[in-house]
């Protein structure tokens, strides 16, 4: 298994009552509520958490980015990836990921990622995402071309990594006279690409067609099983058998010395009312053209307050469905076994704390995970044959072979 | 207030133009009048159309990608849309046509007029988008819900309720979403204007009437003055008791202005 540590890097030091008063904490919630003194402290705490995660035995650190919202302080995951490339030694740096459609120059992204891969001595996993709905508005990028831009930028980046330059690129959304970056990745054929997602069937199908691992973000177990059914059927269509090496899952899991404390802290996963994109504004989170056309009816009803958020569920429901796991190391293990047995992922992200969990509790949680949970989960993985893409030495994609330089890597 | 129930008989056809299928409705009798609808699309039955149909042959296309017309995946600008309508008129052999552009449709009409400075009989722009406001901003629908955006087009909210219902049904919302998506595809950035339009308007020889609702909260009234200054042969008229959707809120007053203006020619 590949076990990753994750935090949203919450900007918890903001006046929550102001957010509730405004009714939405994304996009238009004024940045006058951002306190850079607290921001500076929090960034450095999160950096210490990452170092500790490496120390206690995590295999990877998962990073992401969001814009104009307190629920995630990372405005550019490549910044923290660059820092981690220098201050960590062993962990994979797993970006889930760079929002491709937001990039006006994907070649620049290819260069940044190549630099991170070289500085980290080949520890980069470069995931790509579409970006949240409000991110399209925050960056002025047309939501109606989100998926087209995603696919085209992906093609350009992979070509920039694998095809000798100079070459010319003439796409629908990106045109480049000269593609010839002088920073190319250390890993060959190129860094692994993993695709996280939560709802869109189109993304699952696309990832399966590319043979990229798909990372289900905290979906309920039944929904996760449906994701793998779809993924595996597409895999069969394009000529390979889907397995654990293609499956990732992000599990919210807070552990503490006592059940009561764990449960109280786990409630902080609902800090932004349980919505992974924050206290979302129904219109801003779902601009026209951005969401999957198959969900149009649900989204338009949500946008006018007529339906519930198709992405949200209550705390109790999420505990029941194991979208959130909380307890002592001993009591959470059977839940991990159920997750692994029923959905068979080989890549497992542990989203350990959110919101106002204190630095001390967040640190304790990481230690307990490392000392008592990871070793046991690893054993379960071995017993169940959940070999990660690294352990299985899986091909990098449908068209690219397994890596050569990092064969048998951790 | 004007009753909203009408039973105008339209002839509907699908016209192949610029690689896609455009839904075109026609009705009435008289000189041809191409009416270009708003970004929210248009109901089929409006007192405004009824009033126009008494004096004109009204041609009412659903813009490509709106209200059931096929979405042309290639289309990237409002100017593309304007060229498409030029092709549509040419394909039908329509000549001596007058243009009535409503809001977003006004932008399309203005673009068409710049392409054929003498071809149209008359040009009517109502609350037209297309020009960057010298002061203020065009209301950005990306930031408001479908219902709030349509409501912002009315000075009197009761007029919205009569046309769409106080709580519009979900299929209407889905259509507004599809229309909005197409608007984003062709008018996302800059939002709702074309910086190269104003200098080109100077070449338009067609006589133009620029009409604005006195309570337009979507396109600043200053844009009306900017249009009137840019178009060499134009005049400006204001309709009282109307927001942006003048055709839906004050249909008789607007139709009267149009009938008079086009009849003068």
């Amino acid at each position: 298994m590949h076990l990753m540590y994750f935090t949203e890097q919450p900007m918890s030091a903001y006046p929550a009552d102001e957010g509730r008063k405004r009714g939405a904490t994304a996009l238009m919630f004024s940045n006058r509520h951002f306190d850079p003194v607290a921001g500076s402290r929090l960034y450095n705490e999160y950096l210490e958490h990452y170092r500790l995660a490496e120390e206690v035995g995590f295999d990877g650190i998962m990073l992401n980015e969001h814009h104009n919202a307190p629920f995630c302080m990372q405005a550019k995951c490549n910044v923290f990836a660059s820092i981690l490339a220098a201050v960590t030694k062993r962990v994979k740096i797993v970006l889930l990921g760079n929002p491709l459609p937001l990039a006006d120059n994907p070649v620049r992204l290819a260069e940044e990622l190549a630099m991170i891969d070289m500085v980290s001595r080949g520890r980069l996993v470069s995931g790509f995402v579409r970006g949240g709905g409000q991110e399209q508005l925050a960056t002025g990028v047309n939501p109606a071309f989100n998926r087209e831009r995603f696919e085209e930028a992906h093609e350009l980046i992979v070509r920039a990594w694998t095809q000798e330059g100079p070459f010319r690129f003439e796409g629908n959304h990106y045109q480049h006279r000269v593609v010839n970056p002088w920073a190319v990745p250390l890993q060959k054929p190129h860094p692994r690409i993993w695709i996280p997602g939560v709802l869109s069937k189109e993304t699952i199908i696309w990832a399966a067609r590319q043979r990229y691992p798909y990372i289900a973000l905290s979906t309920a177990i039944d929904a996760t099983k449906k994701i793998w059914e779809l993924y595996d059927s597409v895999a069969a269509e394009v000529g390979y058998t889907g397995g654990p090496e293609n499956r990732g899952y992000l599990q919210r899991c807070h552990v503490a010395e006592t059940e009561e404390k764990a449960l109280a802290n786990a409630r902080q996963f609902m800090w932004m009312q349980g919505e992974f994109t924050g206290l979302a504004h129904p219109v801003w989170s779902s601009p026209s053209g951005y969401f999957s056309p198959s969900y149009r009816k649900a989204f338009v009803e949500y946008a006018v307050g007529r339906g519930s958020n198709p992405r949200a569920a209550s705390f109790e429901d999420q505990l029941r469905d194991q979208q959130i796991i909380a307890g002592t190391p001993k009591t959470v293990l059977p839940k991990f076994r159920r997750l692994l047995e029923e959905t068979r992922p080989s890549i497992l992200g542990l989203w350990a704390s959110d919101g106002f969990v204190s630095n001390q509790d967040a640190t304790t949680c990481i230690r307990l995970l490392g000392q008592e949970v990871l070793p046991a989960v690893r054993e379960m993985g071995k017993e169940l044959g959940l070999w990660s893409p690294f352990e299985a030495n899986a091909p990098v994609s449908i068209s690219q072979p397994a890596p050569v330089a990092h064969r048998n890597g951790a | 207030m004007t009753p909203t129930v009408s039973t105008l008989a339209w002839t509907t056809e699908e016209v192949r133009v610029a690689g896609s299928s455009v839904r075109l409705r026609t009705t009435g009798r008289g000189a041809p009048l191409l009416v270009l609808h708003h970004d929210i699309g248009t109901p089929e039955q409006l007192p405004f159309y009824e009033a126009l149909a008494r004096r004109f042959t009204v041609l009412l296309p659903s813009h490509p990608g709106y209200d059931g017309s096929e979405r042309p995946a290639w289309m990237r600008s409002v100017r593309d849309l304007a060229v498409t309508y030029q092709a549509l008129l040419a394909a039908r052999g329509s000549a001596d046509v007058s243009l009535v552009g409503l809001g977003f449709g006004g932008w399309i009409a203005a673009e068409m007029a710049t392409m054929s400075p003498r071809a149209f009989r008359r040009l009517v722009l109502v609350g037209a988008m297309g020009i960057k406001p010298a002061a203020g901003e065009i209301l950005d629908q990306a930031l408001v819900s479908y219902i709030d955006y349509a409501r912002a087009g009315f000075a009197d909210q009761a007029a919205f309720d009569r046309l769409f219902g106080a709580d519009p049904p979900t299929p209407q919302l889905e259509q507004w979403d599809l229309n909005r998506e197409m608007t984003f595809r062709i008018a996302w950035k800059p939002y709702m204007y074309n910086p190269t339009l104003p200098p080109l308007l100077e070449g338009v020889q067609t006589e133009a009437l620029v009409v604005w609702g006195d309570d337009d909260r979507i396109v600043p009234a200053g844009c009306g003055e900017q249009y009137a200054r840019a178009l060499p042969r134009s005049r400006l008229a204001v309709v009282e008791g109307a927001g942006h959707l003048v055709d839906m809120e004050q249909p008789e007053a607007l139709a009267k202005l149009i009938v008079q203006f086009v009849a003068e020619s």
Side-chain angles (χ1 to χ4, degrees):
Chain A
M1 293 203 75
H2 182 79
L3 301 171
M4 309 182 290
Y5 170 75
F6 174 69
T7 167
E8 280 275 15
Q9 295 200 5
M11 173 55 200
S12 50
Y14 84 101
D17 52 328
E18 292 288 340
R20 279 191 289 273
K21 210 189 303 169
R22 183 78 166 79
T25 54
L27 193 69
M28 305 284 277
F29 182 57
S30 175
N31 64 359
R32 74 171 180 272
H33 300 301
F34 182 85
D35 172 5
V37 174
S40 174
R41 172 179 57 80
L42 287 166
Y43 276 133
N44 283 287
E45 285 178 10
Y46 296 140
L47 187 53
E48 286 310 309
H49 295 171
Y50 291 140
R51 285 181 194 263
L52 179 61
E54 178 173 62
E55 195 186 307
V56 303
F58 279 94
D59 304 315
I61 288 171
M62 167 180 162
L63 302 172
N64 70 337
E65 74 173 63
H66 286 284
H67 299 266
N68 299 31
F71 77 97
C72 173
M73 281 178 65
Q74 287 204 80
K76 184 74 184 162
C77 64
N78 290 358
V79 170
F80 257 86
S82 306
I83 298 167
L84 292 179
V87 305
T88 61
K89 294 289 176 237
R90 181 183 54 78
V91 283
K92 303 285 186 195
I93 299 163
V94 183
L95 308 183
L96 297 178
N98 270 288
L100 294 185
L102 307 190
D104 278 329
N105 180 3
V107 178
R108 180 71 181 253
L109 265 184
E111 290 175 314
E112 290 170 8
L113 293 165
M115 289 173 69
I116 292 164
D117 195 44
M118 285 184 283
V119 173
S120 69
R121 296 187 164 84
R123 291 185 285 130
L124 175 69
V125 173
S126 175
F128 297 130
V129 298
R130 299 197 297 131
Q134 46 247 330
E135 260 102 37
Q136 318 301 313
L137 302 171
T139 51
V141 170
N142 197 332
F145 295 120
N146 175 274
R147 200 167 286 279
E148 286 181 35
R149 286 171 69 94
F150 176 87
E151 293 184 12
E152 203 172 300
H154 161 265
E155 183 197 339
L156 175 51
I157 289 171
V158 171
R159 282 183 60 190
W161 282 346
T162 55
Q163 182 180 336
E164 270 182 23
F167 64 87
R168 194 179 183 101
F169 187 88
E170 297 289 342
N172 281 326
H173 299 281
Y174 300 105
Q175 296 84 27
H176 291 262
R177 201 161 260 112
V178 179
V179 181
N180 191 28
W182 265 66
V184 293
L186 174 63
Q187 296 182 83
K188 301 295 174 200
H190 62 73
R192 289 184 183 278
I193 295 172
W194 297 352
I195 306 297
V198 66
L199 196 66
S200 301
K201 278 185 190 143
E202 289 85 347
T203 304
I204 300 164
I205 292 168
W206 185 85
R209 285 193 177 281
Q210 309 295 325
R211 203 172 181 170
Y212 292 152
Y214 179 85
I215 317 297
L217 299 175
S218 309
T219 41
I221 283 182
D222 284 346
T224 311
K225 285 182 185 168
K226 289 206 175 76
I227 289 173
W228 302 136
E229 270 172 36
L230 177 59
Y231 188 105
D232 290 351
S233 72
V234 176
E237 267 171 41
V238 299
Y240 71 99
T241 305
E245 72 272 20
N246 307 107
R247 299 179 178 187
Y249 186 76
L250 176 64
Q251 176 69 58
R252 278 173 288 185
C253 173
H254 186 84
V255 291
E257 295 96 335
T258 67
E259 288 290 315
E260 296 69 33
K261 185 164 204 176
L263 210 57
N265 276 339
R267 276 205 176 266
Q268 291 295 314
F269 285 122
M270 306 300 285
W271 174 53
M272 289 293 188
Q273 305 217 339
E275 158 61 36
F276 90 104
T277 47
L279 188 51
H281 185 289
V283 174
W284 309 335
S285 64
S286 312
S288 297
Y290 166 78
F291 50 79
S292 169
S294 46
Y295 295 103
R296 194 181 300 273
K297 185 168 179 288
F299 273 108
V300 298
E301 292 192 328
Y302 169 53
V304 299
R306 199 170 285 173
S308 63
N309 185 347
R311 301 185 189 98
S314 73
F315 181 62
E316 287 70 23
D317 286 351
Q318 296 197 53
L319 277 181
R320 188 199 60 219
D321 294 339
Q322 286 197 194
Q323 289 170 282
I324 296 173
I325 292 178
T328 63
K330 198 174 159 204
T331 60
V332 299
L333 286 177
K335 292 173 179 163
F336 276 102
R337 176 167 284 280
R338 180 182 165 211
L339 171 75
L340 299 190
E341 282 179 350
E342 292 199 30
T343 67
R344 298 185 58 76
S346 73
I347 301 161
L348 185 62
L350 297 181
W351 176 357
S353 299
D354 201 10
F356 295 91
V357 172
S358 71
N359 188 33
Q360 194 186 338
D361 287 357
T363 304
T364 302
C365 174
I366 295 168
R367 280 195 193 287
L368 289 173
L369 285 172
Q371 288 162 0
E372 300 185 41
V373 177
L374 299 193
V377 170
R378 236 184 260 293
E379 284 310 308
M380 291 177 206
K382 278 184 193 155
E383 179 197 324
L384 297 169
L386 306 179
W387 309 117
S388 75
F390 308 108
E391 292 162 326
N393 200 33
V396 166
S397 73
I398 193 86
S399 57
Q400 298 283 353
V404 283
H406 292 260
R407 209 167 277 276
N408 302 323
Chain B
M1 272 313 292
T2 321
T4 56
V5 180
S6 63
T7 49
L8 201 51
W10 293 97
T11 305
T12 304
E13 57 190 307
E14 301 288 328
V15 185
R16 290 296 299 177
V17 60
S20 62
S21 177
V22 175
R23 178 176 299 171
L24 176 65
R25 292 189 177 88
T26 48
T27 191
R29 198 175 287 195
L33 199 66
L34 180 67
V35 179
L36 301 172
H37 64 72
H38 292 280
D39 50 1
I40 61 168
T42 181
E44 188 177 84
Q45 298 294 340
L46 283 179
F48 177 62
Y49 300 142
E50 216 170 355
L52 292 179
R54 283 182 225 126
R55 298 290 297 269
F56 303 105
T57 300
V58 178
L59 292 87
L60 180 70
S62 293
H63 304 329
Y66 294 74
D67 282 359
S69 277
E70 193 183 334
R71 175 193 293 171
W74 59 269
M75 194 174 277
R76 297 289 282 271
S77 71
V78 170
R79 198 165 279 177
D80 292 340
L81 186 44
V83 177
T84 301
Y85 281 141
Q86 298 276 16
L88 182 137
L89 292 177
R92 291 179 59 84
S94 303
D96 208 23
V97 175
S98 293
L99 303 181
V100 175
L102 306 167
F104 177 70
W107 178 6
I108 304 166
E111 296 277 4
M112 290 176 74
T114 64
M115 291 163 191
S116 309
R118 299 175 66 172
F120 297 106
R121 190 165 177 184
R122 289 280 160 124
L123 173 66
V124 182
L125 305 179
V126 186
M129 287 142 177
I131 294 186
K132 182 185 181 182
E137 292 158 359
I138 296 171
L139 178 68
D140 189 352
Q141 63 186 299
L143 300 176
V144 297
S145 82
Y146 318 104
I147 294 175
D148 291 346
Y149 183 62
R151 280 196 177 281
F154 290 87
D156 175 12
Q157 292 307 304
F160 173 92
D161 295 348
R162 278 193 297 276
L163 273 169
F164 297 107
D167 201 16
T170 296
Q172 174 69 74
L173 304 181
E174 288 180 87
Q175 190 57 59
W176 276 339
D177 182 65
L178 281 159
N179 293 353
R180 181 179 282 198
E181 182 174 343
M182 189 63 201
T183 301
F184 288 171
R185 291 176 75 91
I186 59 177
W188 175 258
K189 195 154 80 172
Y191 180 69
M192 281 299 185
Y193 66 87
N194 176 359
T196 68
L197 178 59
L200 294 172
L201 289 171
E202 287 175 24
V204 175
Q205 294 182 24
T206 309
E207 278 201 51
L209 176 66
V210 179
V211 184
W212 235 260
D214 69 344
D215 191 17
D216 190 329
R217 285 176 288 143
I218 291 186
V219 184
C223 287
E225 289 153 26
Q226 288 173 261
Y227 261 115
R229 272 199 302 277
L231 288 161
R233 305 174 69 191
S234 65
R235 73 181 96 133
L236 182 61
V238 172
V239 175
E240 288 184 4
H244 178 68
L245 306 167
V246 185
D247 52 307
M248 298 188 200
E249 198 160 20
Q250 296 295 345
E252 296 297 341
L254 180 61
K256 196 173 157 196
L257 279 173
I258 293 169
V259 167
Q260 277 172 357
F261 176 66
V262 177
E264 280 171 13
S265 59

